[in-house]
Amino acid sequence: MRLRILFTLLTALLIATAIGLIIISSQINNTVFYLAEGFLILCIGFSCYFYIKVMKPLNALNTGLDLLRAQDFSNRLSHVGQKDTDHIIEIFNRMIQQLKNERLKVREQNHFLDLIISNSPMGVIILNFDNKITSINKSAITHLELKSDQEVLNKNIDTIDTPLAKRINALSQGTTETIRIGNAKIFRCSRLSFIDQGFQRPFILIESLTEEVMSAEKKAYERVIRMIAHEVNNSVTGVTSILDSINEIKSTNDSSIDVSEAMSICIERCYGLSKFITRFANVVKIPTPITEYINLNNCISKCKAFMENICLTRNIVLSLNLCSEDIMVNIDTTLFEQVLVNIIKNAAESIVSDGEISISTSSNPPCLIIADNGKGIPSDIADKLFTPFFSTKPNGEGLGLIFIREVLLKHKCNFSLYTYDDGITRFTISF
């Protein structure tokens, strides 16, 4: 810019000087006048030559710098008719084309990566250098039980009040952990990092293993239960048949009263063993739900009398807080009533005596919450809930929650069982 101004001033000065000489020489003689005119023509020619050889290449280079400064890679520089300058312009144009291709490639890769992340079944959370969330995809929102990304953007993970978020927040950098939480869901969570501007930037991956693990568990315990049930039932049937026959024979002989009593005990024990095995077998024989649209509030109200009977002997108050609107859900009434009974029974056993169980519903979205003020679920037990054959009861078989889990999964319901900070344990079912 400065050189352009100096060139303009110099050209104007030379032309003005030549014109002045012409005016003065016209009053002296013709020879001087012709010399002045020649000087003017020389100045004009010199200015044109200087512009072509110096200013035009400089203008082209300045235009190139302006394009780089504006990151405009779509325009190209024109040749100026000078070999050296045109060579520089060709190099510049190739550089601009390469930069354009690289930027287009990066944009396409970023767009492709964004598509993969946004549609991936694996949850992805990207943090900034201050460990605040800058990006979270739909899967992560679902896994963390959030409504939208606006709830957590520019916030730390420890502000998310869900069990999975708390477990993820406790992960150390560069570690991977399999996490089982109290809604029968299992996740493999990794806290990793990538290089951004020369520094380690953290991100989190959340992979759901629920379906795979549950499928493997189910196949395993189905096979075990069926094998045990088959063998035990065959044995029990034979033994009880023999004992029945011997008992009938011996019962007519007074001297064998003790033997009859012993045989009766054996028979009762065999029948008890058969019922025990049958309960295990029933877990893998849950029928396919025959669903119909019913009013959830009516279903709960019909079950209230029976559920109150469970609480009566323990002096537990059962209260209903049902939504005023009709809540239509597509369920198998028989199976769902069994689920309700199991949940109420577990809540009553948790309270032991003198407590309260409340059942509430909401319509948007359709949701059922069964809350109790029992002793709660310890943190070391919460991760083991809904695990086959796990029970905290001395004589428990670990089948109640498995039955509940299987029925709710067959109904495609989301559910969770937690003891919250207020000390209330809530079993939540979303339809």
Side-chain angles (χ1 to χ4, degrees):
M1 178 64 71
R2 185 176 300 173
L3 186 60
R4 187 181 294 114
I5 294 172
L6 290 175
F7 170 75
T8 304
L9 292 175
L10 177 61
T11 302
L13 180 62
L14 289 174
I15 293 174
T17 302
I19 293 173
L21 289 174
I22 291 173
I23 295 172
I24 295 172
S25 63
S26 63
Q27 298 174 359
I28 300 175
N29 58 50
N30 292 334
T31 303
V32 177
F33 175 77
Y34 291 137
L35 290 174
E37 284 185 341
F39 180 71
L40 175 61
I41 294 171
L42 182 64
C43 289
I44 294 173
F46 173 78
S47 299
C48 294
Y49 179 81
F50 190 82
Y51 177 80
I52 293 172
K53 292 296 184 180
V54 178
M55 296 306 301
K56 193 173 180 181
L58 285 177
N59 288 338
L61 294 177
N62 284 331
T63 302
L65 292 175
D66 292 338
L67 293 176
L68 287 177
R69 191 177 297 111
Q71 296 187 3
D72 181 0
F73 303 143
S74 59
N75 292 316
R76 299 292 180 269
L77 297 181
S78 301
H79 291 98
V80 296
Q82 295 184 29
K83 183 178 179 180
D84 294 337
T85 305
D86 288 346
H87 181 65
I88 295 174
I89 288 175
E90 287 179 4
I91 295 174
F92 179 85
N93 287 339
R94 285 200 299 269
M95 181 186 68
I96 286 289
Q97 182 63 42
Q98 187 173 357
L99 288 173
K100 179 183 177 181
N101 293 338
E102 290 294 329
R103 185 166 71 170
L104 182 61
K105 183 179 179 181
V106 169
R107 284 180 176 176
E108 290 173 346
Q109 289 177 342
N110 287 340
H111 180 65
F112 178 63
L113 183 60
D114 289 340
L115 284 176
I116 291 177
I117 292 175
S118 61
N119 295 285
S120 172
M122 180 180 291
V124 180
I125 304 173
I126 301 176
L127 311 174
N128 61 16
F129 298 110
D130 296 324
N131 285 318
K132 294 185 183 296
I133 298 173
T134 58
S135 176
I136 179 170
N137 68 348
K138 296 177 182 177
S139 296
I141 292 172
T142 301
H143 295 333
L144 292 174
E145 303 175 36
L146 303 173
K147 294 181 180 179
S148 70
D149 58 351
Q150 299 303 317
E151 295 181 54
V152 294
L153 287 179
N154 299 316
K155 297 180 181 178
N156 289 323
I157 293 182
D158 56 11
T159 60
I160 307 174
D161 188 22
T162 63
L164 179 59
K166 293 178 180 178
R167 296 290 298 275
I168 290 175
N169 189 53
L171 280 177
S172 301
Q173 186 65 38
T175 60
T176 298
E177 182 179 338
T178 300
I179 298 174
R180 184 190 290 263
I181 56 178
N183 58 359
K185 293 183 179 180
I186 305 165
F187 300 95
R188 180 188 289 120
C189 300
S190 304
R191 193 182 188 102
L192 308 172
S193 62
F194 63 97
I195 301 298
D196 183 15
Q197 300 176 22
F199 297 94
Q200 297 283 345
R201 184 172 174 181
F203 71 98
I204 295 167
L205 298 178
I206 308 172
E207 181 183 3
S208 176
L209 303 178
T210 306
E211 293 184 5
E212 291 82 355
V213 172
M214 284 187 178
S215 178
E217 286 180 349
K218 189 174 182 181
K219 289 179 181 178
Y221 69 67
E222 279 181 353
R223 185 174 181 182
V224 171
I225 290 173
R226 283 173 180 155
M227 181 181 67
I228 293 175
H230 179 266
E231 295 300 325
V232 172
N233 284 332
N234 285 346
S235 301
V236 169
T237 300
V239 172
T240 52
S241 176
I242 294 171
L243 291 176
D244 277 333
S245 300
I246 294 175
N247 190 39
E248 289 177 1
I249 296 172
K250 294 295 183 179
S251 62
T252 59
N253 189 345
D254 294 338
S255 61
S256 61
I257 294 176
D258 293 339
V259 176
S260 296
E261 291 178 356
M263 289 184 176
S264 297
I265 293 172
C266 289
I267 293 171
E268 290 178 3
R269 183 71 188 92
C270 286
Y271 282 137
L273 180 60
S274 179
K275 291 179 181 178
F276 172 78
I277 290 299
T278 300
R279 286 198 296 272
F280 273 89
N282 286 339
V283 173
V284 297
K285 293 180 181 178
I286 298 174
T288 301
I290 302 175
T291 61
E292 59 180 335
Y293 280 95
I294 66 165
N295 189 336
L296 180 62
N297 291 338
N298 291 343
C299 178
I300 295 172
S301 299
K302 289 178 182 178
C303 296
K304 182 182 179 183
F306 181 75
M307 292 188 291
E308 279 182 333
N309 187 54
I310 297 176
C311 303
L312 187 62
T313 56
R314 298 174 180 268
N315 195 30
I316 296 174
V317 177
L318 179 64
S319 60
L320 302 183
N321 183 23
L322 305 181
C323 178
S324 58
E325 303 175 21
D326 291 341
I327 305 175
M328 305 306 294
V329 292
N330 191 27
I331 59 174
D332 184 314
T333 306
T334 303
L335 286 176
F336 196 76
E337 286 178 354
Q338 287 180 266
V339 167
L340 287 178
V341 170
N342 272 277
I343 296 174
I344 297 298
K345 179 174 175 291
N346 288 341
E349 291 174 350
S350 173
I351 294 174
V352 182
S353 63
D354 301 318
E356 181 180 357
I357 298 174
S358 66
I359 303 176
S360 59
T361 59
S362 59
S363 59
N364 189 23
C367 183
L368 166 66
I369 299 177
I370 302 172
D372 69 79
N373 60 350
K375 58 184 180 182
I377 304 170
S379 57
D380 58 333
I381 299 297
D383 296 344
K384 300 176 183 178
L385 297 175
F386 301 102
T387 302
F389 313 129
F390 173 78
S391 176
T392 57
K393 304 170 187 175
N395 298 318
E397 299 158 357
L399 298 179
L401 288 178
I402 290 298
F403 173 80
I404 293 171
R405 183 189 80 177
E406 293 300 318
V407 171
L408 293 179
L409 288 178
K410 285 179 180 291
H411 283 81
K412 302 186 184 303
C413 294
N414 292 322
F415 57 93
S416 62
L417 175 58
Y418 300 122
T419 298
Y420 291 82
D421 294 338
D422 57 5
I424 302 298
T425 301
R426 296 179 176 87
F427 200 120
T428 304
I429 303 173
S430 300
F431 298 87

